[in-house]
Amino acid sequence: MRQIIIKICMLIAISINMTGCSFSLDNIMLPISTRIDTIIVKSDDPYGRLVRHVCKKLLNNNIKVTEYNNTINNKYPILTLGAEKDDTNPISIFINGNVAEYFKIIRVDAQLFLPSKGTYPFEIIVGRSFFNTPNVAIVNDSEQYAIIEEMYECIAEKLLRKLYLLIHPTIK
């Protein structure tokens, strides 16, 4: 019964972006490792922020991350992380015309190749708003850095949930 409730909560959290209101399913470990124990992660930027966050999430879920190699590419699933597209737009302004608040969106194109099933492309989108305080530039930079790090953490978590749904197709 508990597993059914967890699956329902996961589907709700995936269909409705509840991470924006600080609700998350952090205490629930996704049982991906029951079907996948090793995965290959490919990216144009193998040491970038996104790959670091994704690999950390995979390792936290007991999934070994290995390097791409032509001899083993048909044995393990391959997660290919495409280009990251980010866009920052002003959403409110001060009376004097300066931007007061921005909205940042990060989009990541990815695809999962399962050796026996084929390729599944998907997109992960995360958005956050942050305030602009022109008088204190250092606070702005540190706040933006923290928000962007949190966005990449959210992207990695959404990506892991998407992998879960692709690996366990009966739950859809």
Side-chain angles (χ1 to χ4, degrees):
M1 183 67 175
R2 182 177 185 268
Q3 289 180 344
I4 294 172
I5 293 171
I6 290 171
K7 289 176 184 178
I8 291 171
C9 289
M10 286 178 53
L11 290 175
I12 291 170
I14 291 168
S15 62
I16 303 170
N17 184 5
M18 295 168 90
T19 56
C21 65
S22 300
F23 178 81
S24 65
L25 298 168
D26 289 337
N27 296 332
I28 300 171
M29 295 297 288
L30 299 174
I32 295 176
S33 60
T34 58
R35 300 228 180 140
I36 290 181
D37 59 350
T38 304
I39 193 167
I40 298 169
V41 177
K42 287 175 44 178
S43 175
D44 291 338
D45 186 9
Y47 304 107
R49 186 182 290 175
L50 176 64
V51 174
R52 285 192 317 258
H53 282 283
V54 169
C55 288
K56 179 182 167 187
K57 281 284 184 196
L58 289 168
L59 291 172
N60 286 343
N61 282 278
N62 300 323
I63 300 172
K64 181 181 169 190
V65 178
T66 186
E67 291 186 16
Y68 181 76
N69 187 340
N70 287 335
T71 59
I72 63 170
N73 64 354
N74 289 331
K75 184 177 178 183
Y76 299 120
I78 301 172
L79 175 64
T80 305
L81 300 173
E84 307 161 33
K85 300 171 208 121
D86 64 342
D87 193 16
T88 305
N89 295 315
I91 55 174
S92 65
I93 57 172
F94 291 117
I95 294 173
N96 63 2
N98 290 340
V99 177
E101 188 177 9
Y102 288 101
F103 190 75
K104 184 171 189 73
I105 297 174
I106 298 177
R107 289 181 168 89
V108 176
D109 293 321
Q111 68 179 18
L112 177 67
F113 171 74
L114 295 172
S116 60
K117 297 181 182 170
T119 303
Y120 301 94
F122 57 94
E123 182 180 47
I124 305 290
I125 302 171
V126 174
R128 296 287 184 273
S129 63
F130 58 93
F131 292 100
N132 181 31
T133 312
N135 299 339
V136 191
I138 292 177
V139 173
N140 263 355
D141 290 343
S142 62
E143 178 189 5
Q144 286 179 28
Y145 180 79
I147 289 171
I148 291 171
E149 282 296 311
E150 190 267 333
M151 288 175 75
Y152 277 101
E153 185 73 24
C154 186
I155 288 171
E157 188 158 323
K158 281 186 168 190
L159 196 134
L160 202 65
R161 289 181 182 156
K162 186 66 175 178
L163 290 179
Y164 178 79
L165 289 176
L166 290 174
I167 293 167
H168 301 282
T170 59
I171 296 175
K172 290 180 183 179

